Amino acid sequence: MAVKSDNRLGCGRDIDDVWSRTDQAPTVHESHCSHCQAARHSLSDLNDATQQLKSQDVQDPALHLPSELLNKVTSIARAEVRRGNRIPLHRPNQTQEPTLTISEQAIATVIRHASDQLPGIEASRCTARTDEDTPGSAQTPVTIAVELYVSVSATSPIPDQITELRTKIIDALHTEIGLDAATIDVFVQDLHDA
Amino acid sequence: MPKQPDSAPTDTVQSNDTSLPSDLAQAILSIEGVIRLEPSMRDLFRKADPRRGSKRDRRENLDGINVTTIGNITDVSVDVAIAGAYQALATGQHIHDTIQAVLHTYPLEPGHTMVNVLTIEYDE
């Protein structure tokens, strides 16, 4: 099998194209081309060897992770996904890397805790991101944009409940984290009986 | 009103284990408001990093603490869980100052220090 330096066989075909078709019947060209036939044969042998090694690895107990370690990796991976983005909490100046960050999940925890203190509000999904217009510096707090999805009580006017909720969130973000909210978008998804 | 931790970090850290990550862990966990150091995927990947412990690029870590020393310059990154009763910014700043204080007890030049508040927990 002649292979040129740019992965082309002696007949000009790209070996990657031949590789992609090893599990299919040869084309008319491949049926009559000695270069392609040799490549198909070699690649088929390589594929068989690879599959054999893979099945051996699956059965090899030395390659199995202890269940405790597997559970730990899975647990940490899930936690990482839940944490979301990291939002700068403090940076010495706008050109330097931040020295303090907080996870989106931690911010959501504070917002939900504030929401839970209002009897008519049930918070669900919450996201937070840095407000790019005011990235913060050593002198000014970082500002964030918040989106919160809630269910509200059907017994009280919605605007009043949302106004109270926003006030609560603004206070919680500033007092309990040290962030200011540039925007708080509240989406009322549902009504419930109080 | 969330509490603020004590403002003055200790100048020296007493420890039977003289490794920097252990000293950092002990100092950070003694700060009011810090619940624990948080493990992350980065900790798992760093433990598997074949470059760990090379002469040029020395990396040491405990779960939640990552120390990288290149030459004499030491970068530190910590991941923490804090209590909701303590302001995250103030607690994070206290942790940052404590790390700097611990580094100054070693013959090292502090590089970049990063504190990541990954989790906030409330007593219910």
Side-chain angles (χ1 to χ4, degrees):
Chain A
M1 175 177 74
V3 180
K4 296 184 179 178
S5 60
D6 61 325
N7 289 338
R8 292 198 178 273
L9 299 173
C11 61
R13 289 289 174 104
D14 190 312
I15 194 170
D16 289 333
D17 290 339
V18 177
W19 171 260
S20 68
R21 294 182 48 79
T22 52
D23 58 343
Q24 301 171 37
T27 63
V28 171
H29 167 84
E30 289 170 352
S31 299
H32 297 93
C33 174
S34 60
H35 299 293
C36 290
Q37 286 175 359
R40 283 179 63 90
H41 183 73
S42 297
L43 291 170
S44 179
D45 287 346
L46 176 62
N47 187 54
D48 290 343
T50 303
Q51 294 304 321
Q52 190 177 6
L53 280 173
K54 278 174 66 176
S55 64
Q56 283 175 0
D57 285 351
V58 168
Q59 292 163 20
D60 185 352
L63 296 178
H64 291 175
L65 286 176
S67 59
E68 188 182 317
L69 177 58
L70 190 59
N71 289 339
K72 184 177 180 182
V73 171
T74 305
S75 172
I76 292 175
R78 287 195 181 118
E80 289 270 351
V81 171
R82 282 197 303 269
R83 283 168 189 154
N85 296 321
R86 295 189 185 186
I87 292 173
L89 200 49
H90 175 74
R91 62 172 94 223
N93 58 61
Q94 292 188 16
T95 59
Q96 283 188 293
E97 273 191 76
T99 56
L100 298 176
T101 71
I102 185 167
S103 72
E104 190 177 355
Q105 183 192 32
I107 294 174
T109 299
V110 170
I111 291 172
R112 287 204 189 88
H113 186 258
S115 304
D116 288 346
Q117 294 169 36
L118 298 174
I121 302 288
E122 291 177 6
S124 59
R125 192 161 63 93
C126 177
T127 63
R129 58 177 173 77
T130 311
D131 177 49
E132 294 178 1
D133 291 334
T134 52
S137 68
Q139 290 75 37
T140 58
V142 172
T143 56
I144 59 171
V146 172
E147 288 187 359
L148 179 65
Y149 293 77
V150 300
S151 172
V152 299
S153 167
T155 61
S156 300
I158 295 175
D160 294 347
Q161 293 184 70
I162 301 306
T163 298
E164 188 178 5
L165 174 62
R166 280 208 179 89
T167 302
K168 202 82 176 166
I169 292 172
I170 290 170
D171 180 61
L173 288 174
H174 186 77
T175 306
E176 297 179 29
I177 298 180
L179 289 171
D180 287 336
T183 59
I184 300 176
D185 293 330
V186 180
F187 299 89
V188 179
Q189 288 185 305
D190 202 0
L191 294 175
H192 61 266
D193 295 329
Chain B
M1 179 72 175
K3 303 173 194 175
Q4 308 248 337
D6 293 337
S7 60
T10 54
D11 291 331
T12 59
V13 175
Q14 301 299 318
S15 173
N16 291 327
D17 183 336
T18 57
S19 76
L20 178 57
S22 296
D23 286 345
L24 286 169
Q26 184 183 351
I28 291 168
L29 290 172
S30 68
I31 295 172
E32 276 187 282
V34 177
I35 297 174
R36 64 181 174 271
L37 295 163
E38 287 276 55
S40 67
M41 290 301 290
R42 180 178 51 185
D43 293 324
L44 294 175
F45 292 144
R46 282 221 168 106
K47 285 173 185 171
D49 188 342
R51 294 172 300 168
R52 185 163 165 257
S54 68
K55 285 181 184 177
R56 180 180 167 277
D57 176 1
R58 188 156 47 85
R59 299 169 191 231
E60 307 166 81
N61 61 76
L62 294 173
D63 279 354
I65 294 182
N66 294 280
V67 178
T68 303
T69 301
I70 300 177
N72 214 35
I73 298 174
T74 299
D75 294 342
V76 176
S77 174
V78 299
D79 299 330
V80 295
I82 67 170
Y86 294 83
Q87 193 200 49
L89 178 60
T91 305
Q93 191 61 55
H94 190 199
I95 295 170
H96 187 277
D97 294 344
T98 298
I99 292 169
Q100 299 292 301
V102 172
L103 286 174
H104 280 113
T105 67
Y106 283 73
L108 296 169
E109 183 180 338
H112 184 69
T113 299
M114 172 86 87
V115 177
N116 303 299
V117 177
L118 298 188
T119 306
I120 292 177
E121 292 181 359
Y122 291 91
D123 288 333
E124 299 294 351

mmCIF file of all heavy atoms in Angstrom, chain A residues 106-124:
data_model
loop_
_atom_site.group_PDB
_atom_site.id
_atom_site.type_symbol
_atom_site.label_atom_id
_atom_site.label_comp_id
_atom_site.label_asym_id
_atom_site.label_seq_id
_atom_site.Cartn_x
_atom_site.Cartn_y
_atom_site.Cartn_z
ATOM 1 N N ALA A 106 -24.231 29.698 43.873
ATOM 2 C CA ALA A 106 -24.227 30.339 45.192
ATOM 3 C C ALA A 106 -25.110 31.587 45.167
ATOM 4 O O ALA A 106 -25.852 31.858 46.122
ATOM 5 C CB ALA A 106 -22.800 30.696 45.602
ATOM 6 N N ILE A 107 -25.028 32.341 44.085
ATOM 7 C CA ILE A 107 -25.881 33.528 43.963
ATOM 8 C C ILE A 107 -27.352 33.106 43.944
ATOM 9 O O ILE A 107 -28.204 33.721 44.598
ATOM 10 C CB ILE A 107 -25.531 34.317 42.686
ATOM 11 C CG1 ILE A 107 -24.122 34.899 42.789
ATOM 12 C CG2 ILE A 107 -26.550 35.428 42.444
ATOM 13 C CD1 ILE A 107 -23.640 35.577 41.530
ATOM 14 N N ALA A 108 -27.656 32.052 43.182
ATOM 15 C CA ALA A 108 -29.041 31.573 43.115
ATOM 16 C C ALA A 108 -29.535 31.127 44.486
ATOM 17 O O ALA A 108 -30.706 31.323 44.829
ATOM 18 C CB ALA A 108 -29.135 30.421 42.110
ATOM 19 N N THR A 109 -28.655 30.543 45.279
ATOM 20 C CA THR A 109 -29.027 30.111 46.639
ATOM 21 C C THR A 109 -29.467 31.310 47.470
ATOM 22 O O THR A 109 -30.477 31.257 48.185
ATOM 23 C CB THR A 109 -27.848 29.402 47.323
ATOM 24 O OG1 THR A 109 -27.488 28.242 46.576
ATOM 25 C CG2 THR A 109 -28.195 29.000 48.742
ATOM 26 N N VAL A 110 -28.713 32.387 47.377
ATOM 27 C CA VAL A 110 -29.043 33.595 48.144
ATOM 28 C C VAL A 110 -30.368 34.175 47.667
ATOM 29 O O VAL A 110 -31.216 34.581 48.475
ATOM 30 C CB VAL A 110 -27.909 34.632 48.009
ATOM 31 C CG1 VAL A 110 -28.326 35.984 48.578
ATOM 32 C CG2 VAL A 110 -26.653 34.133 48.704
ATOM 33 N N ILE A 111 -30.564 34.199 46.359
ATOM 34 C CA ILE A 111 -31.802 34.753 45.807
ATOM 35 C C ILE A 111 -33.000 33.902 46.215
ATOM 36 O O ILE A 111 -34.047 34.436 46.615
ATOM 37 C CB ILE A 111 -31.696 34.873 44.277
ATOM 38 C CG1 ILE A 111 -30.680 35.956 43.905
ATOM 39 C CG2 ILE A 111 -33.048 35.167 43.649
ATOM 40 C CD1 ILE A 111 -30.353 36.039 42.426
ATOM 41 N N ARG A 112 -32.864 32.605 46.143
ATOM 42 C CA ARG A 112 -33.981 31.724 46.546
ATOM 43 C C ARG A 112 -34.257 31.853 48.029
ATOM 44 O O ARG A 112 -35.420 31.815 48.463
ATOM 45 C CB ARG A 112 -33.658 30.273 46.203
ATOM 46 C CG ARG A 112 -33.737 29.973 44.737
ATOM 47 C CD ARG A 112 -33.992 28.493 44.500
ATOM 48 N NE ARG A 112 -33.856 28.224 43.089
ATOM 49 C CZ ARG A 112 -32.709 27.913 42.501
ATOM 50 N NH1 ARG A 112 -31.624 27.771 43.222
ATOM 51 N NH2 ARG A 112 -32.656 27.712 41.201
ATOM 52 N N HIS A 113 -33.205 31.989 48.826
ATOM 53 C CA HIS A 113 -33.395 32.153 50.274
ATOM 54 C C HIS A 113 -34.169 33.424 50.549
ATOM 55 O O HIS A 113 -35.058 33.465 51.414
ATOM 56 C CB HIS A 113 -32.030 32.179 50.971
ATOM 57 C CG HIS A 113 -32.111 32.211 52.461
ATOM 58 N ND1 HIS A 113 -31.925 33.357 53.195
ATOM 59 C CD2 HIS A 113 -32.385 31.226 53.358
ATOM 60 C CE1 HIS A 113 -32.057 33.080 54.484
ATOM 61 N NE2 HIS A 113 -32.347 31.802 54.610
ATOM 62 N N ALA A 114 -33.872 34.486 49.808
ATOM 63 C CA ALA A 114 -34.606 35.738 49.973
ATOM 64 C C ALA A 114 -36.066 35.565 49.528
ATOM 65 O O ALA A 114 -36.990 36.045 50.189
ATOM 66 C CB ALA A 114 -33.931 36.851 49.166
ATOM 67 N N SER A 115 -36.264 34.874 48.431
ATOM 68 C CA SER A 115 -37.617 34.652 47.911
ATOM 69 C C SER A 115 -38.453 33.830 48.887
ATOM 70 O O SER A 115 -39.652 34.079 49.051
ATOM 71 C CB SER A 115 -37.553 33.924 46.565
ATOM 72 O OG SER A 115 -36.764 34.606 45.643
ATOM 73 N N ASP A 116 -37.816 32.861 49.509
ATOM 74 C CA ASP A 116 -38.544 31.977 50.439
ATOM 75 C C ASP A 116 -39.104 32.733 51.627
ATOM 76 O O ASP A 116 -40.017 32.246 52.310
ATOM 77 C CB ASP A 116 -37.614 30.859 50.931
ATOM 78 C CG ASP A 116 -37.319 29.832 49.847
ATOM 79 O OD1 ASP A 116 -38.031 29.843 48.822
ATOM 80 O OD2 ASP A 116 -36.375 29.047 50.031
ATOM 81 N N GLN A 117 -38.556 33.894 51.898
ATOM 82 C CA GLN A 117 -39.041 34.663 53.042
ATOM 83 C C GLN A 117 -40.330 35.402 52.727
ATOM 84 O O GLN A 117 -40.952 35.992 53.617
ATOM 85 C CB GLN A 117 -37.946 35.639 53.497
ATOM 86 C CG GLN A 117 -36.728 34.912 54.052
ATOM 87 C CD GLN A 117 -35.551 35.829 54.260
ATOM 88 O OE1 GLN A 117 -35.733 36.980 54.638
ATOM 89 N NE2 GLN A 117 -34.350 35.341 54.009
ATOM 90 N N LEU A 118 -40.726 35.398 51.467
ATOM 91 C CA LEU A 118 -41.989 36.018 51.080
ATOM 92 C C LEU A 118 -43.028 34.913 50.920
ATOM 93 O O LEU A 118 -42.879 34.032 50.075
ATOM 94 C CB LEU A 118 -41.809 36.781 49.760
ATOM 95 C CG LEU A 118 -40.811 37.936 49.817
ATOM 96 C CD1 LEU A 118 -40.615 38.524 48.432
ATOM 97 C CD2 LEU A 118 -41.271 39.006 50.801
ATOM 98 N N PRO A 119 -44.103 34.943 51.697
ATOM 99 C CA PRO A 119 -45.028 33.812 51.723
ATOM 100 C C PRO A 119 -45.715 33.522 50.396
ATOM 101 O O PRO A 119 -46.070 32.392 50.119
ATOM 102 C CB PRO A 119 -46.045 34.196 52.809
ATOM 103 C CG PRO A 119 -45.886 35.660 53.005
ATOM 104 C CD PRO A 119 -44.493 36.011 52.631
ATOM 105 N N GLY A 120 -45.892 34.520 49.554
ATOM 106 C CA GLY A 120 -46.641 34.273 48.327
ATOM 107 C C GLY A 120 -45.797 33.879 47.143
ATOM 108 O O GLY A 120 -46.304 33.681 46.031
ATOM 109 N N ILE A 121 -44.499 33.760 47.330
ATOM 110 C CA ILE A 121 -43.579 33.538 46.209
ATOM 111 C C ILE A 121 -42.961 32.147 46.285
ATOM 112 O O ILE A 121 -42.499 31.725 47.341
ATOM 113 C CB ILE A 121 -42.427 34.573 46.221
ATOM 114 C CG1 ILE A 121 -42.987 36.000 46.146
ATOM 115 C CG2 ILE A 121 -41.448 34.310 45.082
ATOM 116 C CD1 ILE A 121 -43.551 36.388 44.811
ATOM 117 N N GLU A 122 -42.973 31.429 45.158
ATOM 118 C CA GLU A 122 -42.227 30.168 45.051
ATOM 119 C C GLU A 122 -41.273 30.319 43.880
ATOM 120 O O GLU A 122 -41.697 30.390 42.728
ATOM 121 C CB GLU A 122 -43.203 28.999 44.824
ATOM 122 C CG GLU A 122 -44.068 28.692 46.030
ATOM 123 C CD GLU A 122 -45.082 27.587 45.769
ATOM 124 O OE1 GLU A 122 -45.038 26.985 44.674
ATOM 125 O OE2 GLU A 122 -45.925 27.354 46.651
ATOM 126 N N ALA A 123 -39.987 30.340 44.182
ATOM 127 C CA ALA A 123 -38.977 30.542 43.142
ATOM 128 C C ALA A 123 -38.571 29.214 42.542
ATOM 129 O O ALA A 123 -38.471 28.207 43.240
ATOM 130 C CB ALA A 123 -37.756 31.258 43.723
ATOM 131 N N SER A 124 -38.320 29.217 41.239
ATOM 132 C CA SER A 124 -37.765 28.020 40.614
ATOM 133 C C SER A 124 -36.434 28.381 39.971
ATOM 134 O O SER A 124 -35.488 28.721 40.642
ATOM 135 C CB SER A 124 -38.758 27.408 39.624
ATOM 136 O OG SER A 124 -39.090 28.345 38.619
#
